[in-house]
Amino acid sequence: MINVAYIKKVIKDRGLTLQNVADHCDMTKGYLSQLLNNKVQNPSATKLNALYQYLNINPQEEEKTVGIIFGAFYPLHTGHVYLIQRAISQMDELHIILRHNEERDYQTFKDSAMSRQPSLKDRLRWLLQTFKYQKNIHIHYIDEENLSQSEEDQILWAKKVDYFLQSHNIKPDMIYSSENNDVDFYLKHLNLPTKVIDPERTFMNIRSEDIRRSPLSHWEYIPTEVKPFFVKTIAILGGDSSGKSTMINKLANMFNTTSAWEYGKEYIFRHLGGDERALQFDDYNNIALGQAQYIDFAVKHANKIAFIDTAFVTTQAFCIKYEGKPHPSVEAMLNNYYFDLVIFLENNTPWVSDGLRHLGSNQARKEFQSLLKLILNKHNIPYVEINAEEYDERYLQCIELVKGVLKASS
C-alpha cells in the first residue's frame, strides 16, 4: 500500500499543485486525486514509478505516517478502542498519550459512582493489555500536574507536549479525536491538524462519564481488560457447615456468573491427607496465594459480579486457632483485597461432616464464629449477618443483598 499521506506532504512541502504533478507523471489530475485519496484499488505501476521519480521518493525509504491520540481514558471504553483502531488503520504508527493529573483525576472519581479510584497504572495497564499485540501502537503518559484550563496553562501544556514529543522522537502528522472542539485547540496550540472520528457517537454511543456514572448499566462498552476493575465482589463467610459453599453455588447460578471456591479445602485434601489438623504455619501462605489466584480468575471472567467462598478471613482464623498467631502473608491479603459486600452466615444450621471438618461441637462452632467476627472488626471490614435458620430464607435474603449491590452500580 502506498503511503499517500507522505506523498501529499512532499507535494505540499515543495509548493506543487496536483496539476503540476499530474502533467509531469503522464496522468490526469482526476486520477492523481483519486490515487492520493486511496480510491484506486490497483494503481498502475508505471504511473507510480513516474510519480516517485518526479518527486524523488524512494518507496523503500518513505517516512512513516504518525498519528497521536490524547486522552484520560477514565476509564478506557469501546469508543476509545474504535477511535484508536480507526486511527491506526490510517497511519503507520500511532502514539497514545495518557493524560494524568492527580488532583483532576481525584475530583473525577469523587464525582463518579465508582466504588474505587483507578490509578494511573490501572489506566496504563488497560491500554497496554488491550493493544499489546499491535506493535505499531505505542503507549505513553504525560504528567499534567498543576495545569488548569486557563489560557496561560494551555500554553504551558503545549510546551510540555512539544518537549515530550521531541524527547521521544515523535513527529506526528495527525491528531485523532472524537471531539469537534479539539480541531481548533490542537491547531492553535500544537500546529497540528486533527481528524475527528465519530463525534456524534453514531457508531459507538458511549462516553467515559456514562461508565463512571453507571458502570454495570454500560457493561457491553467496557473492554475485556477493564471489566475486572468494575466487577462487584461478594464474599460469603461463616464457620464449618454454615452453608457457605452451597450458597455460593446457588448464587453464582442465579446471577449467571463466576465464583471462587475455598482453596483451603482443596489444599488440605491434596497435601495434608484431608485433615486440617496437619496444617503447619507455612501452609497458610500457600493457601492464601492459592485463594488469591482463585479470586483473580473468578473476577476476570465474571459477569458483573463474582462470588467468593471464604476469602482470607477464614484462613487467618484457622491460622490463629491452630498456630496461636496470625500469618503475615494472610494479613497482607486481608489488607489488599477489597470486597463490595461481605455476607456472614450465622452458624446455626445443622452440622454436617464432610470428612474435612473438626469443629462440630456447638462450643467450637461458636468460638470460631467469634474469631471470624474479631478479625473482620480488626480490619474494619463491614459485613451483613444472616441469622435465619431456614436455608430457603437465607437464600432469599442473600439474593436481595446482591440485588442491592447491583442496583447501586446501575
Side-chain angles (χ1 to χ4, degrees):
M1 186 176 71
I2 65 172
N3 191 335
V4 294
Y6 178 61
I7 295 174
K8 287 180 179 179
K9 184 174 183 298
V10 171
I11 293 173
K12 180 181 179 181
D13 290 347
R14 296 183 187 176
L16 301 172
T17 66
L18 291 184
Q19 191 64 61
N20 292 148
V21 177
D23 290 343
H24 284 84
C25 298
D26 193 25
M27 63 180 80
T28 65
K29 179 182 176 182
Y31 182 88
L32 177 59
S33 178
Q34 293 284 311
L35 182 67
L36 297 181
N37 284 289
N38 275 325
K39 294 184 178 180
V40 180
Q41 293 186 353
N42 297 299
S44 163
T46 301
K47 288 182 169 55
L48 280 179
N49 288 333
L51 181 63
Y52 288 138
Q53 186 174 357
Y54 176 66
L55 297 176
N56 195 26
I57 295 175
N58 183 343
Q60 303 303 318
E61 298 178 357
E62 292 181 32
E63 292 184 14
K64 290 182 178 179
T65 55
V66 178
I68 56 175
I69 291 176
F70 295 97
F73 306 106
Y74 202 111
L76 176 70
H77 56 69
T78 53
H80 293 132
V81 174
Y82 176 67
L83 170 66
I84 290 166
Q85 298 296 10
R86 286 289 306 276
I88 195 57
S89 70
Q90 299 172 25
M91 295 280 120
D92 297 311
E93 188 174 279
L94 182 66
H95 295 267
I96 301 173
I97 302 177
L98 171 59
R99 303 176 67 173
H100 168 62
N101 180 313
E102 186 172 342
E103 182 178 350
R104 181 187 64 208
D105 294 341
Y106 180 69
Q107 188 58 50
T108 299
F109 166 67
K110 292 291 288 183
D111 294 338
S112 76
M114 296 187 292
S115 57
R116 59 192 178 106
Q117 181 183 4
S119 66
L120 168 63
K121 291 190 176 181
D122 285 326
R123 291 180 286 153
L124 189 61
R125 180 179 298 182
W126 296 337
L127 288 164
L128 290 168
Q129 280 290 92
T130 301
F131 302 105
K132 63 185 175 183
Y133 295 115
Q134 292 178 267
K135 301 305 181 183
N136 55 348
I137 296 179
H138 309 281
I139 314 297
H140 314 272
Y141 67 89
I142 190 168
D143 186 351
E144 298 180 346
E145 298 299 326
N146 303 317
L147 293 178
S148 67
Q149 296 299 314
S150 69
E151 181 65 27
E152 182 179 354
D153 278 357
Q154 288 178 359
I155 294 172
L156 292 176
W157 176 83
K159 290 180 179 179
K160 180 186 281 281
V161 170
D162 281 336
Y163 176 79
F164 178 87
L165 295 176
Q166 290 178 27
S167 63
H168 288 77
N169 196 30
I170 301 172
K171 301 176 181 178
D173 301 292
M174 182 73 66
I175 298 177
Y176 285 83
S177 173
S178 57
E179 302 292 340
N180 286 317
N181 293 337
D182 286 342
V183 176
D184 293 336
F185 177 84
Y186 289 134
L187 185 62
K188 176 182 178 181
H189 292 287
L190 298 178
N191 195 31
L192 284 170
T194 299
K195 188 164 187 178
V196 181
I197 303 292
D198 197 26
E200 303 300 326
R201 308 306 197 268
T202 54
F203 184 84
M204 196 68 68
N205 187 22
I206 189 64
R207 296 176 185 271
S208 292
E209 53 264 35
D210 296 333
I211 296 176
R212 293 196 298 267
R213 184 180 65 252
S214 180
L216 302 189
S217 295
H218 299 90
W219 193 249
E220 69 272 24
Y221 295 109
I222 303 178
T224 300
E225 297 296 340
V226 184
K227 280 181 176 176
F229 184 87
F230 291 101
V231 167
K232 298 299 178 182
T233 51
I234 296 182
I236 298 187
L237 309 183
D240 276 354
S241 199
S242 59
K244 303 184 309 298
S245 299
T246 300
M247 185 67 74
I248 288 285
N249 183 50
K250 292 167 70 175
L251 291 172
N253 285 338
M254 168 69 187
F255 290 95
N256 190 30
T257 189
T258 57
S259 62
W261 294 102
E262 182 182 355
Y263 180 74
K265 286 186 177 181
E266 182 177 329
Y267 183 88
I268 290 169
F269 182 79
R270 285 186 179 183
H271 302 284
L272 307 176
D275 196 323
E276 64 193 26
R277 293 174 299 177
L279 282 166
Q280 299 181 46
F281 191 69
D282 290 342
D283 290 319
Y284 293 93
N285 177 64
N286 297 331
I287 291 173
L289 291 174
Q291 188 71 51
Q293 290 179 341
Y294 274 25
I295 293 172
D296 291 345
F297 184 86
V299 169
K300 183 176 179 63
H301 299 280
N303 175 24
K304 300 183 181 181
I305 194 164
F307 294 98
I308 313 301
D309 188 343
T310 298
F312 307 104
V313 175
T314 306
T315 305
Q316 191 71 296
F318 274 114
C319 186
I320 293 172
K321 179 172 180 58
Y322 289 124
E323 303 300 327
K325 58 183 178 180
H327 197 289
S329 295
V330 183
E331 197 79 0
M333 295 294 188
L334 277 166
N335 292 327
N336 290 327
Y337 273 75
Y338 167 83
F339 298 101
D340 294 279
L341 172 65
V342 175
I343 298 175
F344 191 96
L345 299 181
E346 183 55 54
N347 216 349
N348 54 0
T349 53
W351 188 79
V352 179
S353 175
D354 65 355
L356 297 176
R357 297 168 178 158
H358 295 86
L359 300 175
S361 71
N362 287 335
Q363 183 62 29
R365 296 176 80 184
K366 288 180 180 179
E367 289 177 356
F368 196 74
Q369 289 289 90
S370 297
L371 181 56
L372 290 173
K373 292 179 180 179
L374 183 67
I375 296 172
L376 286 166
N377 293 329
K378 175 188 174 184
H379 290 272
N380 297 314
I381 301 174
Y383 60 92
V384 179
E385 195 166 357
I386 300 292
N387 294 303
E389 296 182 9
E390 295 294 328
Y391 289 117
D392 187 52
E393 187 177 349
R394 286 181 172 223
Y395 176 56
L396 294 176
Q397 288 181 12
C398 286
I399 287 177
E400 290 306 310
L401 289 171
V402 175
K403 284 183 176 178
V405 171
L406 292 171
K407 184 178 180 180
S409 299
S410 299

